[in-house]
Structure formats: C-alpha cells, structure tokens
Amino acid sequence: MTTQAGSSLTAIVLAAGQGTRMKSTKPKVLHPLCGRPMVDYAIEAALAAGCGDVVVVVGYGRDELAAHLTKAFGDRVRTAVQQAQRGTGDAVRSALPTLDPSAERVLVLCGDTPLLDPAELVRLAGSIEGGAPLAMLTAMTEDPTGYGRVLRDAEGKILAVREHRDATEEERRVREVNTGVYVARASFLRESVAGLLPNNAQGELYLTDIVAVAAKAGGVASVQAESASALVGVNERAQLAAAEDILYGRIADRIRRAGATVRATARIDATVVVEPDAVIEHYVVLRGKTRVGANARIDVGSVLTDVEVAPSALVKPYSIASDSTIGENAQIGPFSHLRPESRIEAEAHIGNFVETKKTVVRRGAKANHLAYLGDGDIGEGANIGAGTIFCNYDGFKKHRTEIGAGAFIGSDTQIIAPVRIGVGAYVATGTTITRDVPDDALAIARLKQENKEGYASKLKARLKASVTKKPSGG
C-alpha cells in the first residue's frame, strides 16, 4: 500500500487542452484507456498519494469533462476553468484562486499522464520537507526530443528547465528531462506564477519558468523516476495505444498477484474484478463492471461486458455476453451470445449458436444448440431443442414466453408469444405453438406426412427435362 503524503497536500491536474494531434472532437483527457478516461488515472494517482483536495483545470469541452468528473469522483474533485489555453503557467494560475487557504503543498501534474506511480508522487512530496520551495520529478531518456531539458550547474544543482524548441544545440544534448510533475509550497507557487511572462517561442506562460525562480529562492529538489516510459504524456493515438498496453500489463499482474491466472494476450479493464483461481485465457476481453468468480474459466476469445460470472462457471471459446449474469457451474458456449438482461442460473447450459435476450434460464435448464430465446422464462431442468425460436416480437411490442420446469421442447419449434408451456409438458419436434400448453401435456402441430410410391423417379425426370430443354428460336 502506498504511504500517503498527508492531507496538507493539494493537487492541481492540468486537463484543459483539446489535444489536436488526437484528431478528435473529444477532449484529449477523456479518451479511454482500459475502460476509463485517461484523466482518471492521474486523479487516482494524486488521491492515492494522499491529496486531500484535487482541482482539475478544464477548458476545451469543459462541460463534458466536468460532468464526467462529477459522476466518477463526486465531491472528491473540483474544477477550475482556464478560459483560453495560454500555456501551463496560465492553467495553474486559473486554479490557484480555488485552492483552500490552508493548503501547504501543491502537487501539479498533467491529466494526460495515465502511468504515474503514486509512490513516486509521495517521494516527491516528501523531498521539499528540507526547505526547498519546489521539487520536480525528472527522468533520464535515450531520446529526449520534444521534452524540456533539466539544466544543472557543475555541482549538480538544478538551474532551470528549457523547453525543446527554445533550447540551444548544447542544451538539447541533455538527457535528463522534465516530466511536468511538481510539488511546490503553496505560497511560493502563488508568487512565482503571478510573475510569469510569455518570453518564449510560443508566446505562452510556461510553468517551467518557475524552476529558475525557485533555484534562486532556496533551491529545487528533485526525484528521478525509475521509468521514463511511465511518465510519457499521451498526445496522439500511437501513444494512447502504447500507454494502454502498459496499463493492461499492470492490471494482469495485479490480478495474478491476487491468485488468478491471466494469459498474456487477455485484455482486462481497470474496472473488472477477477477472483482467485479464476482462469482468463488468451484473447479474452473483459470490460466494464464484469466480475469473474473464483474457479471460473473464461476461455479463448470471449468478450464480456458488465457481466457477473459466478464461481466455477465455464464460458467456452468465442462467447459474447453483456449486462448479464452467469450462475455457479453454468456453462456458456462455444459461440453463444448473451444479450442484455440474460440471467443464466446455476448449472444451466447455453450452447453453441444460442442467443438469449432478457431471458431467465433457470437452474439446470439447457439450450445446447442453435436457438433464439428472447423475453422468456425457462423453468428448472427444461430442455430446449435445436432450432427453437421464441417469436417474441409482433412488429410493435415484445411478448413473454414461459416454459415450466422439466418441460421438453423438441427441435425446430416456433413458440409464438405470449404463451405458457406447462410444467413437465412435451412439445413435439417441428411444432408451432400459438396457445398455452397445460402441465404434463403433449403439444404437436404439424402437417400429416404423405408418401407417394414410385413418384421420386418421375419427379427427377421432369426436373431434369426442364433444365436440359433448349429454348425455342424466334
């Protein structure tokens, strides 16, 4: 568990930019990674590091972003508006009036850095205990192109940060880069940000300029991050994909440490819960609020979204389910489709090419092949034969089908709802059901078979002649 840095720590999360390189109308920080908008990860890192107050600076798409933050974090997060995007210094300046007057230290980070480690934020916050007005997180990288360089004197003290486009050729050879993560004493941050000027190629207010101010006012403390890749900001789609791959790996490792098996190619959202001894096979995708119970197995290629899988259930390969529940020791698939509001109870079977929608399949009931079961209630131990269809839609509204416990539905049966088939009833193969079937009754509705002796050869000859006959000329 991360050791928190203390409630006196406040966070400012910079999230006002559009992110034009994403080529999207969506605010950059709302682009999802592993089922959550990327800004959530930066906020969660700040909260885990002990921030008692988090202020998110919004600008482009601010209504959409603010609505998300309220839904996701409630009153743990507040917003401040940057009216025009005039640089990181201006963004922080927009947030300062909203800070609690009791704030002692302020953590500043970017909403497009989803890989931050809370433990490093704690170390950073602790590094200014000695009296420095500012501390910054730095990283060493083989290719520092595009990053602000950390400039030090001969004794190793930080003097300033120079943005790449403003740096000299000599400065660009520096491999230590600024990650955009700072902790400052609140009083210093207010004074230094108030004095920022747009003296740069972009004509913006750079927050990095406060580093030089701090160097002259007590020095700059620094913490070097263990991994530069974990601090990369997401500015375009390739970086988004790369960050998501790292997050998927972290999620899988966390689940493995808790006692479950996760194959390397599985993709599990950050919001998913997997209990011990569950097995998640290759190419499985688990999304949303999915929960996989102990000893359950999700086999190759299955995709589950907001699905509750009970302990010891088996989801066979290439099954798809959403907004549904799967009971203990139930079996699903292969190639099954559970549409929303399907409830498959304990020990029930849904087999290959069976589709359910808004249907309860009660304990021990089976539909093993080729069926559509919509708007139904299938009783315990009932058997649904191959090719069965619940005809639930009349073109205007949906109707319910009820099948009693222990009923047997023969193959190729069409059940035209609304209708009830009683307990222990038997529906013969090829039947079309249009009215209720009482308990323990046999329902059969098919044309009488007629055999015409010797007629097959005559029919074949006639059909052959019609194919080979030449068209008449004209």
Side-chain angles (χ1 to χ4, degrees):
M1 177 180 289
T2 300
T3 302
Q4 294 191 342
S7 60
S8 66
L9 185 64
T10 295
I12 296 175
V13 180
L14 309 184
Q18 177 180 0
T20 55
R21 281 187 279 171
M22 299 293 286
K23 294 181 170 55
S24 171
T25 59
K26 183 189 293 292
K28 179 174 70 169
V29 297
L30 285 182
H31 283 267
L33 294 92
C34 303
R36 298 189 69 183
M38 76 169 85
V39 70
D40 287 15
Y41 295 96
I43 294 170
E44 291 286 6
L47 292 170
C51 292
D53 187 25
V54 177
V55 177
V56 179
V57 180
V58 300
Y60 177 82
R62 66 194 189 203
D63 292 341
E64 183 181 1
L65 178 52
H68 163 72
L69 294 174
T70 298
K71 182 178 179 181
F73 295 98
D75 58 5
R76 293 187 297 165
V77 171
R78 298 181 292 114
T79 59
V81 177
Q82 184 183 17
Q83 296 294 345
Q85 280 70 68
R86 297 176 53 238
T88 51
D90 181 64
V92 171
R93 183 181 288 180
S94 301
L96 288 174
T98 71
L99 298 188
D100 192 303
S102 65
E104 298 174 7
R105 294 167 298 162
V106 181
L107 169 67
V108 181
L109 48 86
C110 298
D112 62 359
T113 52
L115 304 178
L116 290 172
D117 182 351
E120 290 187 337
L121 301 184
V122 171
R123 288 199 295 131
L124 182 67
S127 69
I128 62 170
E129 296 294 344
L134 179 72
M136 59 187 299
L137 193 62
T138 72
M140 300 298 294
T141 179
E142 291 299 323
D143 181 10
T145 303
Y147 289 95
R149 306 310 201 275
V150 178
L151 306 182
R152 296 179 182 264
D153 64 16
E155 298 178 351
K157 295 179 180 179
I158 294 177
L159 298 175
V161 170
R162 191 84 68 236
E163 294 297 334
H164 179 86
R165 68 189 66 203
D166 300 312
T168 65
E169 287 301 317
E170 182 180 357
E171 290 170 340
R172 289 184 180 185
R173 287 193 287 271
V174 174
R175 293 176 51 242
E176 186 179 18
V177 298
N178 175 36
T179 67
V181 180
Y182 310 88
V183 172
R185 297 191 182 281
S187 56
F188 168 77
L189 189 63
R190 289 188 175 94
E191 294 172 5
S192 59
V193 167
L196 291 175
L197 297 172
N199 299 325
N200 51 69
Q202 291 292 96
E204 295 181 345
L205 300 179
Y206 285 169
L207 185 61
T208 50
D209 288 349
I210 71 172
V211 175
V213 177
K216 297 175 182 177
V220 180
S222 67
V223 170
Q224 191 173 111
E226 293 182 6
S227 171
S229 63
L231 299 162
V232 172
V234 173
N235 294 304
E236 41 86 19
R237 303 279 180 163
Q239 291 173 333
L240 185 74
E244 189 168 54
D245 283 343
I246 293 171
L247 282 172
Y248 276 133
R250 289 182 181 180
I251 293 166
D253 285 342
R254 170 176 54 80
I255 294 170
R256 291 177 186 125
R257 288 194 297 271
T261 295
V262 180
R263 307 300 183 199
T265 53
R267 292 292 180 262
I268 303 175
D269 278 358
T271 49
V272 170
V273 175
V274 180
E275 295 181 356
D277 290 319
V279 177
I280 311 300
E281 284 291 352
H282 286 287
Y283 303 107
V284 166
V285 178
L286 303 180
R287 297 171 173 156
K289 297 178 181 178
T290 294
R291 186 182 189 96
V292 180
N295 293 295
R297 185 185 191 92
I298 314 299
D299 219 328
V300 175
S302 294
V303 180
L304 308 184
T305 305
D306 299 325
V307 176
E308 184 84 18
V309 181
S312 301
L314 172 60
V315 178
K316 296 179 182 179
Y318 305 107
S319 295
I320 297 173
S322 59
D323 299 291
S324 298
T325 60
I326 299 170
E328 191 168 357
N329 288 303
Q331 294 187 23
I332 308 297
F335 298 100
S336 295
H337 187 186
L338 308 185
R339 290 169 59 193
E341 297 184 64
S342 295
R343 190 170 89 234
I344 314 304
E345 294 189 349
E347 300 175 11
H349 291 190
I350 298 296
N352 46 275
F353 304 105
V354 174
E355 178 181 349
T356 65
K357 190 273 298 179
K358 206 173 184 179
T359 290
V360 179
V361 181
R362 298 192 182 275
R363 189 181 191 97
K366 296 178 181 179
N368 282 324
H369 352 261
L370 302 162
Y372 171 67
L373 312 174
D375 294 279
D377 189 323
I378 300 169
E380 290 190 10
N383 186 87
I384 309 298
T388 295
I389 299 172
F390 286 8
C391 304
N392 59 323
Y393 183 49
D394 63 8
F396 297 94
K397 62 180 181 178
K398 303 292 179 69
H399 302 277
R400 296 284 293 172
T401 294
E402 295 184 19
I403 296 179
F408 182 92
I409 311 300
S411 298
D412 194 28
T413 295
Q414 296 83 48
I415 302 175
I416 301 176
V419 71
R420 178 185 180 277
I421 296 172
V423 174
Y426 195 109
V427 176
T429 295
T431 294
T432 298
I433 295 293
T434 59
R435 55 194 175 90
D436 288 356
V437 179
D439 293 352
D440 197 34
L442 167 65
I444 181 168
R446 61 167 78 114
L447 293 174
K448 182 180 179 181
Q449 182 173 324
E450 181 180 355
N451 296 331
K452 295 185 177 182
E453 299 289 341
Y455 191 79
S457 59
K458 295 177 183 179
L459 178 62
K460 292 175 184 176
R462 190 172 69 194
L463 293 174
K464 182 177 180 180
S466 68
V467 172
T468 59
K469 184 178 179 182
K470 295 180 180 180
S472 59

